[in-house]
Amino acid sequence: QHAHVDLLGFSLSWELDYVNMLQMIESLQIPKLTQERDEQSPVIFGGGPVLSANPEPFAEYFDVIFLGDGEELVGDFMAGFQKIKAEKPELTRRQLLMELAKIPGVYVPQLYEITYHEGDRDGHSKPKSKSSKKKFKDQGQDESSTPSSSASPSSSYHIASIQLAEDAVSAGVPSIVQKRTFRGNQLASSTIVTEFSAWENIYMVEAVRSCPEMCRFCLASYVTLPFRAADVENALLPAIERGLSVTD
């Protein structure tokens, strides 16, 4: 049960994590879709390379998405959440999310209406709203009649416009979410070593972030820009020593 939980967070490093995340939410009896959660539901937030690179495929399942590096963003979010809950306990769920959306790097998908263009190989296009499936289902039509199911295999989609909701504009929510970039010289390392992880009993140390080669096919080079290296003496070697002390 989740009655006592205010926040539930996930870090997605690979697209296949997506399935496990949904299974975990379902096992906790939390509605998977943001639009189905009520005032008693925890705020579901997520971050990591997958969400920073392309948050939209996951937008209907996360109340909050972190864009960019988490070293400072996670702390700012937690402090902001606690302050808002303490100072404004009367806020509704949507009002709470609008306050959280003011924190730099925090993207609240339900506050933005995105319209896509569906194009074909001949260059023709037509607008397609992100919420079109919900609107069709609200009208009592079968899901198979929605525009998304009638797209041809050769169709492609690109964002035509992003519109901030009127109440979010009035609340001072920014129309553009800036990705957060950590400027420190101490990068990430493992905090948990367990036999139940994807890499059993392994302590991982991040030596560099991004890559100076900038190969066009490599997402890691671009989603974590700019290129940064950990301080060898003050960060990298101490992290390696910690790892050696807890592994075979």
Side-chain angles (χ1 to χ4, degrees):
Q1 299 296 325
H2 64 272
H4 64 287
V5 176
D6 291 322
L7 293 168
L8 180 62
F10 299 88
S11 179
L12 303 187
S13 298
W14 298 276
E15 285 79 0
L16 293 180
D17 290 341
Y18 181 40
V19 178
N20 293 331
M21 180 270 294
L22 290 177
Q23 290 176 339
M24 293 176 68
I25 290 178
E26 191 172 40
S27 69
L28 293 171
Q29 301 177 21
I30 301 171
K32 291 191 290 294
L33 297 176
T34 59
Q35 65 192 30
E36 296 176 355
R37 296 177 193 142
D38 56 25
E39 299 294 327
Q40 283 69 50
S41 299
V43 172
I44 308 296
F45 69 95
V50 171
L51 293 175
S52 286
N54 186 13
E56 284 313 299
F58 312 92
E60 293 185 347
Y61 306 100
F62 283 97
D63 299 305
V64 169
I65 292 176
F66 295 164
L67 299 182
D69 298 328
E71 281 86 348
E72 297 168 337
L73 176 52
V74 173
D76 290 349
F77 175 79
M78 296 300 295
F81 181 86
Q82 292 173 335
K83 182 179 180 180
I84 294 167
K85 294 289 285 186
E87 296 180 356
K88 302 177 181 179
E90 75 285 354
L91 293 183
T92 65
R93 182 182 183 87
R94 184 173 177 84
Q95 290 171 331
L96 170 64
L97 291 174
M98 286 193 286
E99 290 298 312
L100 293 172
K102 299 176 186 178
I103 300 172
V106 171
Y107 171 44
V108 179
Q110 63 183 268
L111 302 181
Y112 299 82
E113 176 67 25
I114 298 182
T115 300
Y116 296 92
H117 270 160
E118 177 186 344
D120 56 29
R121 292 176 181 174
D122 296 324
H124 303 114
S125 64
K126 59 182 179 180
K128 175 182 181 298
S129 171
K130 180 175 73 172
S131 59
S132 60
K133 177 176 288 189
K134 179 179 181 297
K135 290 176 181 176
F136 269 69
K137 293 180 73 173
D138 286 348
Q139 295 170 11
Q141 298 185 26
D142 184 79
E143 187 172 336
S144 62
S145 64
T146 65
S148 59
S149 63
S150 61
S152 67
S154 61
S155 297
S156 62
Y157 297 91
H158 63 272
I159 292 176
S161 65
I162 301 176
Q163 186 72 36
L164 186 62
E166 291 185 6
D167 58 345
V169 173
S170 301
V173 175
S175 59
I176 298 176
V177 182
Q178 297 290 342
K179 186 186 80 169
R180 292 289 290 269
T181 300
F182 177 60
R183 300 292 180 177
N185 57 11
Q186 181 172 347
L187 300 181
S189 60
S190 294
T191 55
I192 298 174
V193 177
T194 172
E195 60 182 298
F196 301 108
S197 62
W199 289 284
E200 183 177 325
N201 294 326
I202 286 181
Y203 186 96
M204 293 185 287
V205 177
E206 185 180 22
V208 299
R209 188 168 296 179
S210 187
C211 177
E213 299 300 326
M214 300 294 289
C215 299
R216 297 296 297 175
F217 60 82
C218 181
L219 179 64
S221 293
Y222 294 89
V223 74
T224 54
L225 283 172
F227 174 73
R228 288 149 286 169
D231 184 293
V232 175
E233 295 295 331
N234 298 317
L236 186 58
L237 292 180
I240 292 174
E241 290 175 0
R242 289 196 300 272
L244 291 174
S245 69
V246 296
T247 55
D248 298 331

